[in-house]
Amino acid sequence: MTFTHYLKEQLTDFVESYRKYLLPTFGTTLKYTVLCFILSAILFHFSEFDKANTTKQISLLSYYFNRYSKAETYSIVDLTKSVFLFFVSVFSVGLIRLEQPEKNQISFKQNTSQVHFKDLTYLFATLIAVSLLDYAFFRIDGISTARVQNLPLAKYFHDSLFHLRIYIPLFFFSITIRSLVSTDTARLTFKRVLLLYISLWLFNEIAYEMSLWVRTHLFALLLIPFSGSDKYYLYESILGIPLIAFYFPGYYSAMTYYFKQNNHFISTEK
């Protein structure tokens, strides 16, 4: 498959995933999102923040696309995106196994009934692994910043490690999904890894820009009466639940298309 053909088919798959699954699964993705928000709030509660950190925490949505670890202080709320990807992966495994007609509603119970203990074990192990890697990248970033005297080089290391903190969890969860549901035994060549990276980058950037636009132009307008109020954080968090739920079909497509194109799905074994 050529790059241009893959790109065309991936973009088409984004559209098809939303056409087929957005409405039938929206109730299900809302429930996954509520669970994710609860865990995000718990991570926030136990997080420490460096006093020099000036990045604003407007609502729970802030933790999906921003990082708050700074200097010597690692904020575990930075794991919010990884927790979200865990739920997207659970959703994806269940959706692939269902092979449900597109016009039917796919309930939370139907989706989770297709997810086995083995799947949860593998996905939870992946969550632990990417969490440890996130902490490791943060510490390496701190060491490189302190020891590298060349400022442009230090900035390059910082930006590269930050990029890895974003995309390594996406990559690892994608590989885990493939190992659980696909009969595709082809090796992960450099070309396939590159194509997967392009899929992940495309939708992650779309999700980021959409979140930025919605929060700036829609949520800010709706919440004008609460500007400056302590309730702003709560209300934008509540408004953010359907926004995050909206992303599930897109991330599902980005994380599975690179192997899904072969249409070899299995794994009903418990």
Side-chain angles (χ1 to χ4, degrees):
M1 179 182 290
T2 64
F3 170 73
T4 53
H5 180 69
Y6 179 87
L7 184 59
K8 176 184 175 182
E9 293 301 315
Q10 174 63 88
L11 293 172
T12 300
D13 195 67
F14 284 144
V15 175
E16 283 298 298
S17 292
Y18 275 101
R19 183 184 69 82
K20 291 169 61 176
Y21 300 124
L22 177 61
L23 294 180
T25 67
F26 197 64
T28 297
T29 57
L30 278 174
K31 291 177 182 177
Y32 279 122
T33 305
V34 169
L35 291 174
C36 189
F37 270 51
I38 291 171
L39 290 177
S40 300
I42 293 172
L43 289 174
F44 167 71
H45 178 74
F46 289 102
S47 286
E48 295 182 359
F49 298 93
D50 189 88
K51 293 180 180 179
N53 197 329
T54 57
T55 308
K56 293 183 179 179
Q57 302 172 37
I58 300 172
S59 70
L60 289 175
L61 281 175
S62 302
Y63 309 128
Y64 284 82
F65 294 103
N66 295 311
R67 296 292 186 274
Y68 290 89
S69 299
K70 188 178 179 65
E72 295 297 317
T73 305
Y74 181 76
S75 303
I76 61 172
V77 76
D78 283 358
L79 301 178
T80 293
K81 183 69 172 291
S82 296
V83 172
F84 165 71
L85 294 175
F86 170 82
F87 286 114
V88 171
S89 300
V90 173
F91 167 79
S92 299
V93 170
L95 187 60
I96 288 171
R97 293 212 182 107
L98 272 172
E99 297 183 350
Q100 192 83 358
E102 59 186 73
K103 293 184 180 180
N104 290 355
Q105 293 295 314
I106 301 174
S107 69
F108 184 76
K109 183 177 180 180
Q110 284 177 304
N111 185 261
T112 55
S113 68
Q114 300 299 314
V115 181
H116 310 141
F117 180 75
K118 173 187 173 182
D119 306 321
L120 293 175
T121 302
Y122 275 59
L123 291 172
F124 185 72
T126 303
L127 177 60
I128 296 299
V130 299
S131 298
L132 293 174
L133 282 171
D134 189 72
Y135 178 76
F137 289 140
F138 169 73
R139 287 303 176 196
I140 293 170
D141 184 25
I143 294 170
S144 65
T145 301
R147 295 187 179 182
V148 176
Q149 301 300 317
N150 186 309
L151 292 181
L153 183 60
K155 184 178 184 303
Y156 176 81
F157 283 149
H158 171 75
D159 292 343
S160 297
L161 288 166
F162 184 80
H163 194 75
L164 287 173
R165 292 181 68 189
I166 295 172
Y167 286 97
I168 285 295
L170 280 160
F171 181 80
F172 273 39
F173 276 112
S174 301
I175 299 302
T176 304
I177 294 171
R178 176 182 183 240
S179 71
L180 292 171
V181 300
S182 177
T183 59
D184 178 15
T185 57
R187 292 186 302 108
L188 280 176
T189 61
F190 176 77
K191 179 180 179 181
R192 295 193 92 189
V193 170
L194 180 60
L195 292 176
L196 171 59
Y197 170 73
I198 290 168
S199 297
L200 298 174
W201 180 83
L202 275 172
F203 191 76
N204 198 63
E205 289 299 311
I206 291 171
Y208 172 75
E209 291 296 333
M210 182 181 295
S211 177
L212 193 63
W213 189 94
V214 170
R215 295 178 73 186
T216 302
H217 299 287
L218 181 58
F219 291 175
L221 176 63
L222 294 174
L223 296 174
I224 285 176
F226 307 100
S227 180
S229 168
D230 292 338
K231 294 182 179 180
Y232 194 99
Y233 186 100
L234 173 63
Y235 291 152
E236 187 181 92
S237 296
I238 294 172
L239 288 174
I241 292 175
L243 175 62
I244 295 299
F246 175 83
Y247 292 145
F248 273 71
Y251 276 108
Y252 158 76
S253 173
M255 295 167 72
T256 63
Y257 180 71
Y258 77 105
F259 70 81
K260 193 175 63 178
Q261 56 189 307
N262 294 325
N263 293 320
H264 291 311
F265 299 136
I266 61 163
S267 207
T268 55
E269 175 186 355
K270 296 186 179 181

